[in-house]
Amino acid sequence: MKRNEVDRNKLSPMMVQYLDIKLNYEDAILFFRIGDFYEMFFEDAELASRELELTLTGKSCGLESRVPMCGVPHHAYLPYLEKLVEKGYKVAICEQLTDPNQKGMVERGVIQVVTKGTLMESSSLDEKSNNYIGSIYDFSHCYAISYADISTGEVNTELINYDTEKLINEIIRLDIKELIVNDLVDRKIINTLRENYSILITISSSLLDDDTYSYIYDGITDVRVVNSIKHLLYYLTDTKKGNLTHLQKVNIIDKNKYLELDVHSKRNLELVETLRLKERTYSLLWLLDKTKTAMGSRLLKRWIENPLVDKKQIERRYDFISKLLTEFILKEELRELLNNVYDLERLSGRISYGNLNARDLIQLKNSLSTLPHIKRILEELEYDRTLEVLDDLYELLDKSINEDAPVTIKEGNIIKKGYSKELDELKSLSSGGKDFILKLEQEERERTGIKNLKVGFNKVFGYYIEISNGQKDLIKDEYNYTRKQTLSNCERYVTPKLKEKEDLILNSDEKSIQLEYELFIQIRDIVRGYIPKIQNISNIISEVDVLLSLAVVSESNNYVRPTIVNDRCIYIKDARHPVVEKVANFTYVPNDIMMDNKTNILLITGPNMSGKSTFMRTLALTIIMAQMGSFVPCKECKIPIFDKIFTRIGASDDLVSGESTFMVEMKEANNAVSNATENSLILFDELGRGTATYDGMSLARSILEYVHNKVKCKTLFSTHYHELTILEQELRNLKNVHVSALEENGTITFLHKVKMGPVDRSYGIHVASLVGLPKEIIDRATEILDIYENPKNKKEVYKQTSLNLDMAEEKHDVIKEKLKEVDILKITPLEALNILDELKKEINEN
């Protein structure tokens, strides 16, 4: 049954109310509060029952047929909500706004719409990553992106050139979970982000005209930036419908302040997740993250993704790490204190929005209690930022909130004794009344002689005296008992004295619970005024936490402080890949990475699996770590400041967009050579292998020449095209290096050591033998390789009986002609195997 199929005139008033509210939230699943449940009806019920595996029932609403219905308990709705949101649905929470015990229709309204980007309290919300919701505003000549994490209050914005690919790459790089786009944005962009990257997208051009949040963009003169922020704010205020004043003043992203890493480099270098499993484990972030707080972990992730280019700021971080490494006792004491600091950023969000509970305030109090000790240590370490301790707020929370307060805020037991005289009097009255009930029970047993007499209570009948059927004949008129309820095994009575005390007790209980709730709200509102100070504290604590983490990692892994130089020389002694050396089950072999002013390109040759890619990644990760302010894994490091890093590593199809390996190669190569400057770093690993040998080799050489002559940036270029090594004689700023290997008795040992000069031969067949290819293939490949390397042996080899060449002379001549067409000096071992395979197939067919 569909909503548009029903006759509204026949519906019950409550269902008419549901339909009226649902009209405004067509794109959301409506959680409609009825008593203790959130109910869903019609299409929403059918969808939710399928996605949540709930029983689909029906509800009689005045129609001949029951309308589809399912529901979830309101006190345990969060897991169901999270599941729907994770699947990409919007959920509108419709609450009862008036007391359901009062006569008449209960007033209801949507209090918030929950989406991927607007989650604030959820077990599925990754505490170590930001949860960004963003806006794309198309101005027809450029794009503006504004994005915020409403769980922490962080707000950012940036302008992007009118380039579709750059826009999409930036959205993916930022890992934005949800987008609002204005109606000028190209539908191809929307479809790509929706279908290929599962980003929830809403099309809306509305701007917020309320001045409540004008402080976020106050002082910004660029109307494009202001409108972009207002575009995002309209959606946030429209969906959350609560107080969002914890949102901070916008941070305008200046790309020139950071080392630029595009989405490909972020992935290829495995900065925050691995390429294969898309997991944090074994990424650079995994290695460096020894933080104690969730907000510190999130900041570390941002540092890794946005290394600095300001030498002064980088050196500032080095200085504090150096201080921590010398003051190791203070360092350990400080780390221990950070264990007691909760996620102040997200606590601020809940305080502002109003969805916090008493335990959140206890977490805040416990965090504040450690601040004086942290401040003392930071002063001893000569840290250059001042930490405010908020003693007055701590005292307020300490004297007001019970340490064992419940999760809910409407059940009482939140406020400490002594905080409110009125509350204490009500609780005393309630407690005294309950003592009276116990005393009354004993007195009535003695007065009546009925030993099993009980005084009980339920919400329907209140307090009562219960007497079993076997004892009820003992009741006399003089006891003044009035029958209240008859049960199968007993009778329940009341007395004037009991009724009088009942009114007193119940009223005091209700009044004390209501007063506790009101006092809690007052305390919350007082705490809300401290949010800017709490956020400033969280900024300091998270930075200290990250620097402590980097110091711990540096100390345990023998990292050294880099030296930032002003020339374009790279001098890294015994460089190590930080992750590989940590997880390798073999002795790691360090390598020197040396590039003086006259060397811009290192052309790297060597066998597969010998370590060429690791060598290249080592340089990139060393630069990223150095420019984010970390010490680095080597014995000595002198490097300049880089402005951009571009990588082309790995050979995989882009299955999402349907592009081949070679197309992906060329697009990434084009991005690098088009955007790199003299101060950039380019890593090209096996560029050109995605196409035919001659095409690939020609493109590789052409790109190398272009980078050498035009771009002139530092470049590492690994290749199996040994013919390219001759370029060292033609390009004065290019040098050959190779990763050495040792061949003994037909086996190969990788030395993982990078040496000057080109490799003297290929070891492709030896590598193939290492992975266990059948011996017949290896032996035959060796024979074919011998043909290519020694043409005079060709006739003798091709009379091998193993190929069964006893066939018609005509066929023999065809094979000979095909072999003549092969240029044995310009094919790889893999191509040799392919030729062999084709010849065998042709022979077998005859």
Side-chain angles (χ1 to χ4, degrees), residues 35 194 288-289 396 538 632 687 831:
R194 273 180 178 164
L288 298 181
D289 192 357
L396 168 66
S538 71
V632 294
L687 190 67
E831 288 170 328

Side-chain angles (χ1 to χ4, degrees), residues 467-730:
I467 299 174
S468 66
N469 287 339
Q471 302 288 314
K472 66 182 180 182
D473 292 340
L474 298 176
I475 297 173
K476 302 176 181 178
D477 291 343
E478 61 197 60
Y479 296 162
N480 206 14
Y481 279 21
T482 301
R483 183 179 285 108
K484 183 79 172 177
Q485 185 184 15
T486 299
L487 301 178
S488 61
N489 62 340
C490 66
E491 295 280 354
R492 290 176 176 173
Y493 305 86
V494 294
T495 66
K497 187 176 181 181
L498 181 60
K499 191 66 179 174
E500 176 187 349
K501 211 64 179 178
E502 175 189 274
D503 293 338
L504 188 64
I505 294 169
L506 293 181
N507 286 337
S508 62
D509 273 349
E510 290 176 3
K511 286 181 179 178
S512 67
I513 289 174
Q514 179 61 30
L515 181 56
E516 282 204 68
Y517 174 73
E518 292 171 359
L519 290 171
F520 177 81
I521 297 302
Q522 290 175 15
I523 294 167
R524 182 201 68 190
D525 291 343
I526 293 172
V527 175
R528 184 179 282 161
Y530 285 86
I531 285 178
K533 292 183 177 181
I534 295 172
Q535 289 175 328
N536 188 53
I537 290 169
S538 71
N539 290 338
I540 293 175
I541 294 293
S542 56
E543 181 183 62
V544 169
D545 193 15
V546 172
L547 292 170
L548 275 167
S549 178
L550 296 179
V552 168
V553 174
S554 297
E555 186 175 42
S556 60
N557 295 310
N558 296 314
Y559 293 173
V560 300
R561 175 171 179 158
T563 301
I564 306 297
V565 297
N566 294 323
D567 58 22
R568 297 183 64 251
C569 293
I570 295 175
Y571 178 87
I572 306 176
K573 183 69 176 174
D574 285 345
R576 313 185 307 272
H577 189 293
V579 178
V580 173
E581 77 157 342
K582 197 70 176 175
V583 302
N585 55 6
F586 52 83
T587 302
Y588 188 90
V589 179
N591 276 295
D592 297 342
I593 306 177
M594 310 291 187
M595 299 179 77
D596 58 24
N597 281 322
K598 296 180 179 179
T599 305
N600 287 338
I601 300 175
L602 292 183
L603 185 62
I604 311 167
T605 50
N608 283 322
M609 299 169 54
S610 62
K612 299 191 300 297
S613 297
T614 299
F615 178 76
M616 299 171 73
R617 285 187 172 99
T618 298
L619 175 58
L621 291 178
T622 300
I623 291 168
I624 289 169
M625 289 174 67
Q627 290 189 217
M628 65 175 276
S630 170
F631 286 15
V632 294
C634 60
K635 285 188 177 179
E636 187 178 356
C637 176
K638 296 179 181 178
I639 55 172
I641 296 287
F642 288 84
D643 61 0
K644 302 173 186 178
I645 292 180
F646 300 95
T647 66
R648 172 54 206 166
I649 298 174
S652 60
D653 297 348
D654 188 347
L655 299 178
V656 170
S657 60
E659 292 177 343
S660 68
T661 297
F662 184 64
M663 176 63 76
V664 173
E665 273 191 317
M666 291 302 101
K667 288 179 72 172
E668 293 182 15
N670 177 59
N671 179 49
V673 299
S674 300
N675 295 291
T677 71
E678 277 193 10
N679 298 318
S680 301
L681 172 70
I682 294 177
L683 306 181
F684 282 153
D685 188 17
E686 306 286 350
L687 190 67
R689 63 179 168 181
T691 186
T693 303
Y694 295 143
D695 285 350
M697 191 190 312
S698 302
L699 281 166
R701 174 167 182 156
S702 179
I703 289 172
L704 273 171
E705 291 174 349
Y706 184 88
V707 171
H708 180 275
N709 299 326
K710 301 288 186 180
V711 184
K712 301 179 181 178
C713 67
K714 298 295 184 184
T715 302
L716 301 188
F717 194 110
S718 73
T719 185
H720 278 297
Y721 299 138
H722 299 150
E723 295 82 358
L724 295 178
T725 57
I726 197 174
L727 288 174
E728 185 178 54
Q729 302 171 22
E730 303 175 17

Side-chain angles (χ1 to χ4, degrees), residues 17 82 147 216 289 461 466 508 548 766 823:
Q17 182 189 51
E82 291 171 354
Y147 56 100
I216 294 175
D289 192 357
F461 294 102
E466 182 178 289
S508 62
L548 275 167
H766 295 85
D823 187 339

Side-chain angles (χ1 to χ4, degrees), residues 188-213:
K188 291 181 180 178
I189 296 175
I190 295 173
N191 291 337
T192 298
L193 293 172
R194 273 180 178 164
E195 297 169 10
N196 296 350
Y197 300 101
S198 301
I199 297 176
L200 179 64
I201 297 180
T202 300
I203 301 174
S204 168
S205 296
S206 301
L207 306 180
L208 184 69
D209 57 5
D210 187 346
D211 290 337
T212 304
Y213 301 100

Side-chain angles (χ1 to χ4, degrees), residues 331-531:
K331 171 172 67 70
E332 291 306 315
E333 186 179 349
L334 189 53
R335 293 191 78 219
E336 190 64 32
L337 287 169
L338 288 183
N339 281 324
N340 301 317
V341 179
Y342 291 85
D343 194 341
L344 297 178
E345 283 185 326
R346 286 187 170 162
L347 274 176
S348 296
R350 292 201 292 274
I351 292 167
S352 172
Y353 190 64
N355 60 337
L356 80 162
N357 56 47
R359 292 185 184 179
D360 290 327
L361 292 183
I362 293 299
Q363 288 185 357
L364 176 60
K365 185 192 80 170
N366 292 338
S367 300
L368 295 177
S369 70
T370 65
L371 294 186
H373 308 291
I374 293 175
K375 181 178 182 178
R376 171 184 56 80
I377 294 176
L378 292 179
E379 288 174 349
E380 288 189 52
L381 292 170
E382 299 177 342
Y383 181 65
D384 58 2
R385 298 176 68 184
T386 302
L387 183 68
E388 196 169 358
V389 294
L390 304 185
D391 288 333
D392 51 345
L393 179 57
Y394 171 79
E395 290 172 4
L396 168 66
L397 297 176
D398 187 47
K399 70 181 183 182
S400 62
I401 306 296
N402 273 327
E403 276 76 8
D404 58 350
V407 174
T408 59
I409 59 177
K410 293 188 177 181
E411 294 181 1
N413 197 35
I414 295 176
I415 306 300
K416 276 184 177 179
K417 185 178 181 180
Y419 181 73
S420 167
K421 183 178 179 181
E422 181 184 358
L423 178 62
D424 290 346
E425 290 175 352
L426 285 171
K427 286 188 172 182
S428 176
L429 185 61
S430 174
S431 174
K434 291 174 183 176
D435 292 339
F436 166 81
I437 295 301
L438 294 174
K439 183 180 179 183
L440 176 67
E441 183 178 79
Q442 184 62 35
E443 290 176 350
E444 288 300 306
R445 286 177 178 178
E446 293 174 357
R447 184 162 75 100
T448 63
I450 302 173
K451 300 302 181 184
N452 63 356
L453 178 150
K454 297 178 182 178
V455 178
F457 172 82
N458 67 36
K459 291 183 178 181
V460 177
F461 294 102
Y463 285 96
Y464 53 80
I465 296 172
E466 182 178 289
I467 299 174
S468 66
N469 287 339
Q471 302 288 314
K472 66 182 180 182
D473 292 340
L474 298 176
I475 297 173
K476 302 176 181 178
D477 291 343
E478 61 197 60
Y479 296 162
N480 206 14
Y481 279 21
T482 301
R483 183 179 285 108
K484 183 79 172 177
Q485 185 184 15
T486 299
L487 301 178
S488 61
N489 62 340
C490 66
E491 295 280 354
R492 290 176 176 173
Y493 305 86
V494 294
T495 66
K497 187 176 181 181
L498 181 60
K499 191 66 179 174
E500 176 187 349
K501 211 64 179 178
E502 175 189 274
D503 293 338
L504 188 64
I505 294 169
L506 293 181
N507 286 337
S508 62
D509 273 349
E510 290 176 3
K511 286 181 179 178
S512 67
I513 289 174
Q514 179 61 30
L515 181 56
E516 282 204 68
Y517 174 73
E518 292 171 359
L519 290 171
F520 177 81
I521 297 302
Q522 290 175 15
I523 294 167
R524 182 201 68 190
D525 291 343
I526 293 172
V527 175
R528 184 179 282 161
Y530 285 86
I531 285 178

